[in-house]
């Protein structure tokens, strides 16, 4: 075991993720770096297309997705749930209701993530299964900008609950909408063709052993 650790004194762990994972990955990396101070981290937050390009270049040890892209030769390890919740500004009339029908919620001015976003994909697939077309008025390629647009009273949205765990989300209200939250999952993925480096293996074990507890503390799951 000790010799293992010695071998890990230096090196780089490379992770890239689509934007919504950026809220929790740093909270895994912080304690990991304390345990292994010699390991450098290269953490890329990009849009899904760029993450897929990085997969093609073979530079990263891990990719983090909730909607794992189809057609890539990936090993997939599920990590934790990713609930997508309905949000509105705290003054929105819907906040007065105890329970809102999915149809009524989707008739509000709806703000949605950009084409290619995993969050958007999950929402579209879910609403299609319910035969509901949302009243999309605005497409925004950023969770934070969606939160600010909701705060400004521009409309409602459905986002990962993890986007609400910090800062900007003050005054955003989660609305109790029928059939929600939409349940998806975060996964760590790596290319099947690529052998995991010793550092990557240690990180994977660390995530399996300590990841859940850390997330419970940080995200108040
Ligand atoms: P995104 O993240 O909505 O920010 O793209 C989710 C995912 O990777 O599936």
């Amino acid at each position: 075991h000790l010799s293992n650790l010695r071998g890990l004194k230096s090196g780089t762990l490379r992770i890239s993720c689509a934007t919504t994972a950026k809220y929790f990955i740093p909270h895994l990396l912080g304690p990991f770096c304390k345990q292994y101070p010699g390991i450098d981290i290269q953490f890329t937050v990009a849009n899904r297309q760029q993450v897929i390009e990085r997969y093609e270049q073979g530079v990263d040890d891990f990719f983090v997705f909730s909607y794992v892209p189809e057609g890539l030769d990936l090993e997939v390890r599920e990590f934790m749930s990713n609930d997508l919740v309905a949000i509105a500004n705290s003054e929105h009339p819907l906040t007065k209701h105890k329970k809102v029908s999915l149809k009524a919620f989707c008739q509000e001015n709806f703000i949605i993530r950009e084409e290619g976003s995993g969050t958007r994909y999950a929402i579209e697939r879910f609403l299609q299964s319910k035969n509901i077309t949302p009243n999309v008025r605005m497409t925004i390629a950023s969770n934070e900008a969606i939160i600010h647009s909701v705060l400004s009273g521009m409309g409602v949205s459905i986002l990962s609950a993890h986007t609400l765990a910090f800062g900007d989300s003050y005054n955003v209200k989660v609305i109790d909408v029928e059939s929600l939250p939409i349940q998806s999952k975060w996964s760590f993925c790596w290319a099947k063709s690529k052998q995991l480096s010793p550092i990557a293996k240690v990180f994977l074990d660390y995530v399996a052993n300590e990841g859940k507890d850390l997330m419970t503390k940080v995200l108040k799951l």
Side-chain angles (χ1 to χ4, degrees), residues 18-20 48 64-67 113 117-119 186:
T19 58
T20 304
R48 284 177 74 76
V64 184
F65 292 109
S66 81
Y67 160 44
R113 284 282 306 274
S117 140
T119 305
W186 288 114

Side-chain angles (χ1 to χ4, degrees), residues 87-88 92 94 105 108-112 150 154-158:
I87 57 169
H92 197 285
L94 287 185
F105 183 77
E108 295 291 324
N109 291 338
F110 201 97
I111 307 170
I112 198 159
V150 167
M154 216 118 70
V156 301
S157 189
I158 296 177

Side-chain angles (χ1 to χ4, degrees), residues 20-50:
T20 304
K22 72 180 174 194
Y23 304 96
F24 67 89
I25 298 290
H27 296 284
L28 289 173
L29 293 176
F32 181 73
C33 290
K34 268 209 190 112
Q35 271 181 45
Y36 302 101
I39 296 180
D40 295 327
I41 307 287
Q42 198 179 309
F43 176 41
T44 306
V45 181
N47 71 30
R48 284 177 74 76
Q49 197 44 47
Q50 288 164 330

Side-chain angles (χ1 to χ4, degrees), residues 19 21 23 55 58 67 87 97 103 107 129 132 164 169-170 197:
T19 58
Y23 304 96
Y55 160 85
Y67 160 44
I87 57 169
H97 297 247
K103 201 159 185 191
Q107 273 162 3
S129 78
I132 289 176
L164 305 176
S169 57
Y170 183 68
S197 72

